[in-house]
């Protein structure tokens, strides 16, 4: 009797094992990592469709199918998925007024219809990384244009669904957002310093783009990344540093990035004045068109006389005291005359203009032109 009972138990266990094996064989395997992650089934058929279409963005070797052109719809499908993935990684979505203020701090007041650097849409806005970009470049995944989600309040590059969606079976998928995209959003909108450290190590191109293309200069460590690029240029091209310090904003108004001017001042020494001298050359280029070929936006042409004088004033405000203090320590590294002396010879009306504008409240400049008794 006891042996019969044991045999029955053994047979039942065997049959159960066979059933489990058959079930496993009919179900797509799920990776171990998925077992601990969250899976989704929202909008699954549309996601499958767009993933298939996006697989044809590039031509096949045998040209067996037409190239798929990425559209607004692709972005709109991707945005809620990315929002879920960011939330899963600890990203905190800001309230609308706070988000809008953050966007202004990062990119400036750029979202208006006559600004060629943006494209305004219903669910997102596009910011072109290059001022020469056209509408045809908007969805080029090789260009890091920035897409700003209005509803979910984050930024992304061109979102290819296959980059962050991985199917676990035919009806479920997990979301794996690329680490740089997580870090960008958590630093810029949640002020995560650990994510800034990650970006400084792993995503320097984006950080430098923030400074050079979008004018974000609020973080000294990022400013250093960008400014070091100009230190690596030859002497003839180094004056182009002026293009990221003195810029026309989206409304055509001169903006002066004083954090970058301060950076130049802080990194100028008796035996190292390369960027300061580059700024002096930029100041001379305001009045002399001989170096126009090195600039993307020729300062001789794009600025009015009043704007040129204001730029010259800001450069002289840091140049003059540094020259007076440091040149005697290493005379061979410094020119005899200062930038202000040279420009005053070039622009006979500059001194009166600066006096009329109260020297733009620049103390060192006033001290140069109206020394205290």
């Amino acid at each position: 009797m006891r042996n019969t009972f044991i045999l029955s138990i053994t047979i039942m266990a065997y049959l159960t094992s066979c059933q489990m094996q058959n079930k496993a064989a009919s179900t797509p395997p799920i990776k171990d990592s998925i077992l601990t992650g969250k899976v989704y089934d929202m909008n699954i058929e549309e996601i499958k469709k767009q993933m298939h279409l996006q697989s044809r963005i590039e031509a096949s070797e045998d040209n067996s199918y037409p190239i798929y052109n990425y559209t607004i719809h692709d972005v709109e499908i991707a945005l809620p998925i990315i929002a879920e993935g960011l939330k899963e990684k600890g990203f905190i979505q800001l309230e609308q007024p706070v988000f809008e203020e953050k966007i202004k701090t990062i990119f400036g007041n750029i979202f208006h219809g006559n600004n060629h650097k943006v494209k305004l849409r219903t669910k997102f806005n596009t910011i072109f990384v290059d001022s020469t970009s056209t509408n045809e470049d908007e969805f080029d995944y090789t260009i890091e244009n920035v897409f700003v989600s209005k509803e979910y309040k984050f930024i992304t590059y061109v979102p290819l669904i296959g980059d962050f969606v991985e199917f676990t079976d035919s009806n479920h998928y997990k979301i794996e957002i690329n680490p740089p995209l997580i870090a960008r959003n958590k630093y810029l909108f949640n002020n995560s310093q650990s994510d800034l450290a990650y970006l400084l190590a792993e995503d320097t191109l984006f950080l430098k783009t923030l400074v050079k293309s979008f004018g974000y200069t609020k973080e000294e460590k990022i400013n250093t990344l960008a400014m070091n690029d100009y230190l690596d240029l030859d002497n003839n091209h180094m004056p182009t540093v002026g293009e990221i310090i003195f810029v026309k904003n989206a409304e055509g108004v001169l903006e002066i990035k004083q954090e970058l001017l301060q950076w130049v001042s802080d990194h100028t020494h008796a035996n190292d004045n390369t960027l300061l001298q580059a700024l002096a050359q930029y100041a001379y280029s305001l009045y002399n068109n001989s170096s126009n070929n090195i600039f993307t936006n020729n300062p001789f042409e794009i600025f009015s006389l009043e704007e040129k004088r204001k730029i010259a004033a800001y450069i002289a405000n840091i140049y003059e005291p540094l020259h007076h203090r440091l040149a005697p320590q290493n005379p061979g590294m410094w020119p005899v005359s200062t930038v202000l002396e040279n420009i005053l010879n070039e622009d006979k009306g500059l001194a009166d203009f600066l006096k009329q504008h109260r020297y733009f409240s620049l103390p060192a400049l006033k001290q140069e032109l109206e020394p205290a008794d």
Side-chain angles (χ1 to χ4, degrees):
M1 185 77 176
R2 182 170 179 272
N3 289 338
T4 303
F5 176 76
I6 292 173
L7 179 61
S8 298
I9 293 296
T10 303
I11 292 172
M12 289 176 63
Y14 173 75
L15 292 173
T16 300
S17 174
C18 290
Q19 289 172 349
M20 291 177 67
Q21 290 176 15
N22 290 335
K23 183 178 180 181
S26 63
T27 303
I30 299 176
K31 296 179 181 180
D32 292 341
S33 61
I34 297 171
L35 295 176
T36 58
K38 188 174 181 180
V39 294
Y40 299 85
D41 60 4
M42 63 180 185
N43 211 10
I44 195 144
E45 294 305 322
E46 190 70 31
I47 289 171
K48 289 180 181 178
K49 175 184 174 183
Q50 294 310 120
M51 284 184 72
H52 173 69
L53 291 172
Q54 289 177 15
S55 70
R56 298 184 171 190
I57 285 178
E58 294 183 353
S60 63
E61 292 183 1
D62 59 359
N63 294 316
S64 60
Y65 54 75
I67 295 176
Y68 174 69
N69 293 315
Y70 195 98
T71 68
I72 299 169
H73 183 63
D74 289 274
V75 180
E76 293 179 345
I77 289 293
L79 292 179
I81 306 171
I82 297 174
E84 283 293 328
L86 288 174
K87 180 181 177 182
E88 201 176 324
K89 295 299 182 180
F91 173 69
I92 301 171
Q93 189 178 115
L94 301 179
E95 295 295 327
Q96 188 66 31
V98 181
F99 178 71
E100 290 177 0
E101 193 58 37
K102 285 276 189 180
I103 288 293
K104 279 187 181 180
T105 299
I106 301 164
F107 301 108
N109 186 22
I110 61 173
F111 293 124
H112 46 81
N114 61 350
N115 181 10
H116 67 279
K117 285 203 67 171
V118 301
K119 186 75 175 180
L120 307 181
R121 301 196 178 278
T122 303
K123 294 187 177 181
F124 65 92
N125 293 325
T126 306
I127 307 173
F128 294 104
V129 70
D130 188 343
S131 60
T132 62
S133 295
T134 63
N135 289 342
E136 289 74 24
D137 299 324
E138 182 177 9
F139 302 122
D140 185 340
Y141 65 93
T142 66
I143 301 174
E144 284 225 354
N145 295 329
V146 175
F147 297 84
V148 181
S149 171
K150 295 180 179 180
E151 181 178 1
Y152 301 106
K153 303 173 187 65
F154 65 85
I155 63 170
T156 182
Y157 37 74
V158 176
L160 297 175
I161 294 175
D163 287 347
F164 51 86
V165 167
E166 181 179 333
F167 278 90
T168 62
D169 57 46
S170 60
N171 295 309
H172 300 87
Y173 59 88
K174 68 173 184 174
I175 304 171
E176 288 290 349
I177 307 298
N178 290 335
L181 186 56
I182 298 169
R184 292 178 188 186
N185 282 285
K186 291 180 74 174
Y187 163 63
L188 291 172
F189 301 113
N190 296 163
N191 196 31
S192 170
Q193 294 304 299
S194 61
D195 285 286
L196 172 59
Y198 171 88
L199 294 171
L200 288 166
E202 303 292 341
D203 200 13
T204 56
L205 181 59
F206 171 74
L207 293 182
K208 289 186 282 191
T209 298
L210 285 179
V211 178
K212 295 179 182 181
S213 295
F214 303 132
Y216 177 74
T217 57
K218 303 303 180 184
E219 170 54 57
E220 184 176 1
K221 293 176 182 177
I222 301 176
N223 293 344
T224 296
L225 279 179
M227 299 300 273
N228 282 340
D229 274 0
Y230 290 93
L231 284 171
D232 290 338
L233 297 177
D234 61 70
N235 289 337
N236 290 332
H237 290 84
M238 203 176 293
T240 58
V241 69
E243 293 191 283
I244 67 168
I245 299 177
F246 307 102
V247 298
K248 289 283 191 78
N249 66 19
E251 296 170 325
V253 177
L254 171 65
E255 285 188 1
I256 298 175
K257 303 298 182 179
Q258 297 194 52
E259 295 92 346
L260 299 183
L261 276 177
Q262 188 61 49
W263 193 97
V264 174
S265 179
D266 293 341
H267 291 79
T268 297
H269 309 287
N271 59 351
D272 184 1
N273 61 3
T274 50
L275 271 188
L276 186 69
Q277 289 304 129
L279 276 185
Q281 290 300 318
Y282 184 82
Y284 304 147
S285 297
L286 294 166
Y287 296 92
N288 186 324
N289 200 26
S290 61
S291 300
N292 65 341
N293 60 319
I294 70 169
F295 297 105
T296 302
N297 297 298
N298 182 6
F300 182 81
E301 295 177 350
I302 67 170
F303 295 117
S304 68
L305 179 59
E306 288 194 355
E307 289 170 334
K308 291 177 181 181
R309 288 170 168 174
K310 185 173 183 179
I311 292 169
Y314 273 81
I315 293 174
N317 188 61
I318 66 167
Y319 190 100
E320 304 304 303
L322 288 170
H323 187 280
H324 297 326
R325 177 165 57 88
L326 300 176
Q329 300 175 32
N330 191 354
M333 285 287 297
W334 294 79
V336 175
S337 58
T338 69
V339 67
L340 184 59
E341 291 169 344
N342 290 331
I343 294 178
L344 285 172
N345 287 330
E346 183 71 31
D347 183 354
K348 302 302 182 182
L350 177 60
D352 288 339
F353 174 84
L354 294 176
K355 185 174 182 179
Q356 291 168 7
H357 288 79
R358 300 181 183 276
Y359 306 101
F360 297 105
S361 299
L362 300 171
L365 183 65
K366 181 178 181 180
Q367 176 63 28
E368 286 297 314
L369 294 172
E370 289 188 18
D373 294 333

